[in-house]
Coordinates of all heavy atoms in Angstrom, one line a residue:
A294 N 10.9 5.4 6.3 CA 11.9 4.6 5.5 C 12.8 5.5 4.6 O 14.0 5.3 4.5 CB 11.2 3.6 4.6
L295 N 12.2 6.6 4.0 CA 12.9 7.5 3.2 C 13.9 8.3 4.1 O 15.1 8.5 3.8 CB 12.0 8.5 2.5 CG 11.2 7.9 1.4 CD1 10.1 8.9 1.0 CD2 12.1 7.6 0.2
E296 N 13.4 8.8 5.3 CA 14.2 9.6 6.2 C 15.4 8.8 6.8 O 16.5 9.3 7.0 CB 13.3 10.1 7.3 CG 13.9 11.3 8.1 CD 14.0 12.6 7.3 OE1 13.4 12.6 6.2 OE2 14.6 13.5 7.8
E297 N 15.2 7.5 7.0 CA 16.2 6.6 7.6 C 17.2 6.0 6.5 O 18.1 5.3 6.9 CB 15.6 5.5 8.4 CG 14.9 5.9 9.7 CD 15.8 6.5 10.7 OE1 16.9 5.9 11.0 OE2 15.6 7.6 11.2
G298 N 16.9 6.3 5.3 CA 17.7 5.8 4.2 C 17.5 4.4 3.9 O 18.4 3.7 3.2
I299 N 16.4 3.8 4.3 CA 16.2 2.3 4.1 C 15.9 2.2 2.6 O 16.2 1.1 2.0 CB 15.0 1.8 5.0 CG1 15.4 1.9 6.4 CG2 14.6 0.4 4.6 CD1 14.3 1.6 7.4
V300 N 15.2 3.1 2.0 CA 14.9 3.1 0.6 C 15.1 4.5 0.0 O 15.1 5.5 0.8 CB 13.4 2.7 0.2 CG1 13.2 1.2 0.6 CG2 12.4 3.6 0.9
T301 N 15.2 4.7 -1.3 CA 15.1 6.0 -1.9 C 13.9 6.0 -2.7 O 13.2 5.0 -3.0 CB 16.4 6.2 -2.9 OG1 16.4 5.1 -3.9 CG2 17.6 6.2 -2.1
A302 N 13.5 7.2 -3.2 CA 12.2 7.3 -3.8 C 12.0 6.5 -5.1 O 11.0 5.9 -5.3 CB 11.9 8.8 -4.1
N303 N 13.1 6.4 -5.9 CA 13.0 5.7 -7.2 C 13.5 4.3 -7.1 O 13.5 3.6 -8.1 CB 13.7 6.5 -8.2 CG 13.1 7.9 -8.5 OD1 11.9 7.9 -8.8 ND2 13.8 9.0 -8.3
Q304 N 14.0 3.9 -6.0 CA 14.5 2.5 -5.8 C 13.4 1.5 -6.0 O 12.4 1.6 -5.3 CB 15.2 2.4 -4.5 CG 15.7 1.0 -4.2 CD 16.3 0.9 -2.7 OE1 16.4 1.9 -2.1 NE2 16.5 -0.3 -2.3
E305 N 13.6 0.5 -6.9 CA 12.5 -0.4 -7.1 C 12.9 -1.7 -6.3 O 14.0 -2.2 -6.3 CB 12.4 -0.8 -8.6 CG 11.9 0.4 -9.4 CD 11.6 0.1 -10.9 OE1 12.4 -0.7 -11.4 OE2 10.6 0.6 -11.4
I306 N 11.8 -2.2 -5.7 CA 11.9 -3.5 -4.9 C 11.0 -4.5 -5.5 O 9.8 -4.2 -5.8 CB 11.6 -3.2 -3.4 CG1 12.6 -2.2 -2.8 CG2 11.6 -4.5 -2.6 CD1 12.2 -1.7 -1.4
S307 N 11.4 -5.7 -5.6 CA 10.6 -6.8 -6.1 C 9.5 -7.1 -5.1 O 9.8 -7.4 -3.9 CB 11.4 -8.0 -6.4 OG 10.5 -9.1 -6.8
C308 N 8.2 -7.1 -5.5 CA 7.1 -7.3 -4.6 C 6.2 -8.5 -5.1 O 5.2 -8.3 -5.8 CB 6.3 -6.1 -4.4 SG 7.2 -4.7 -3.6
P309 N 6.6 -9.7 -4.8 CA 5.8 -10.9 -5.2 C 4.5 -10.9 -4.3 O 4.2 -10.1 -3.5 CB 6.7 -12.1 -4.8 CG 7.6 -11.6 -3.7 CD 7.8 -10.1 -4.0
P310 N 3.6 -12.0 -4.6 CA 2.3 -12.0 -3.8 C 2.5 -12.3 -2.3 O 1.5 -12.0 -1.6 CB 1.6 -13.2 -4.5 CG 2.3 -13.4 -5.8 CD 3.7 -13.0 -5.6
T311 N 3.6 -12.8 -1.9 CA 3.7 -13.2 -0.5 C 5.1 -12.7 0.1 O 6.0 -12.5 -0.7 CB 3.6 -14.7 -0.2 OG1 4.6 -15.4 -1.0 CG2 2.2 -15.2 -0.7
F312 N 5.1 -12.7 1.4 CA 6.4 -12.4 2.1 C 6.5 -13.3 3.3 O 5.5 -13.5 4.0 CB 6.4 -10.9 2.5 CG 7.5 -10.6 3.5 CD1 8.8 -10.3 3.0 CD2 7.3 -10.5 4.8 CE1 9.8 -10.0 3.8 CE2 8.3 -10.1 5.7 CZ 9.6 -9.9 5.2
R313 N 7.7 -14.0 3.4 CA 7.8 -14.9 4.5 C 8.8 -14.3 5.6 O 9.8 -13.8 5.3 CB 8.4 -16.2 4.0 CG 8.6 -17.3 5.1 CD 9.2 -18.6 4.5 NE 8.2 -19.3 3.7 CZ 7.3 -20.1 4.2 NH1 7.2 -20.3 5.5 NH2 6.5 -20.7 3.4
L314 N 8.4 -14.4 6.8 CA 9.2 -14.1 8.0 C 9.1 -15.2 8.9 O 8.1 -15.5 9.6 CB 8.7 -12.8 8.6 CG 9.6 -12.3 9.8 CD1 11.0 -11.8 9.3 CD2 8.9 -11.1 10.5
G315 N 10.3 -15.9 9.1 CA 10.2 -17.1 9.9 C 9.3 -18.2 9.3 O 9.4 -18.5 8.1
R316 N 8.4 -18.7 10.1 CA 7.5 -19.7 9.6 C 6.2 -19.1 9.1 O 5.3 -19.8 8.6 CB 7.2 -20.7 10.7 CG 8.3 -21.6 11.0 CD 8.0 -22.6 12.1 NE 7.7 -22.0 13.4 CZ 7.3 -22.6 14.5 NH1 7.2 -23.9 14.5 NH2 7.1 -21.9 15.6
R317 N 6.0 -17.8 9.2 CA 4.7 -17.2 8.9 C 4.8 -16.6 7.5 O 5.8 -15.9 7.1 CB 4.4 -16.1 9.9 CG 3.0 -15.5 9.5 CD 2.5 -14.6 10.6 NE 1.2 -14.0 10.2 CZ 0.5 -13.2 11.0 NH1 0.9 -12.9 12.2 NH2 -0.6 -12.6 10.5
V318 N 3.8 -16.7 6.7 CA 3.7 -16.1 5.4 C 2.6 -15.0 5.4 O 1.5 -15.2 5.8 CB 3.2 -17.2 4.3 CG1 3.0 -16.5 3.0 CG2 4.2 -18.3 4.2
Y319 N 3.1 -13.8 4.9 CA 2.2 -12.6 4.9 C 1.8 -12.4 3.4 O 2.6 -12.4 2.5 CB 2.9 -11.4 5.4 CG 3.3 -11.5 6.8 CD1 4.5 -12.1 7.3 CD2 2.5 -10.9 7.8 CE1 4.8 -12.2 8.6 CE2 2.8 -11.0 9.2 CZ 4.0 -11.6 9.6 OH 4.3 -11.7 10.9
H320 N 0.5 -12.2 3.2 CA 0.0 -12.1 1.8 C -0.2 -10.6 1.5 O -0.6 -9.8 2.3 CB -1.4 -12.8 1.7 CG -1.2 -14.3 1.8 ND1 -1.0 -15.1 0.8 CD2 -1.3 -15.1 3.0 CE1 -0.9 -16.4 1.2 NE2 -1.1 -16.4 2.5
D321 N 0.0 -10.3 0.2 CA -0.3 -9.0 -0.3 C -1.8 -9.0 -0.6 O -2.4 -10.1 -0.8 CB 0.5 -8.7 -1.6 CG 0.4 -7.3 -2.0 OD1 -0.6 -6.8 -2.6 OD2 1.3 -6.5 -1.7

């Protein structure tokens, strides 16, 4: 992700308890 420039080291991303992709929910 760092090498492809998708994120930078200090870039903060909001990470709630779940992540939805389509109809499926992925849990932390």
Side-chain angles (χ1 to χ4, degrees):
L295 289 168
E296 197 71 8
E297 291 296 309
I299 295 171
V300 294
T301 60
N303 295 302
Q304 178 185 347
E305 292 186 324
I306 297 173
S307 176
C308 295
T311 61
F312 169 79
R313 180 180 290 276
L314 182 67
R316 290 180 295 176
R317 182 168 177 182
V318 176
Y319 295 84
H320 295 271
D321 195 280

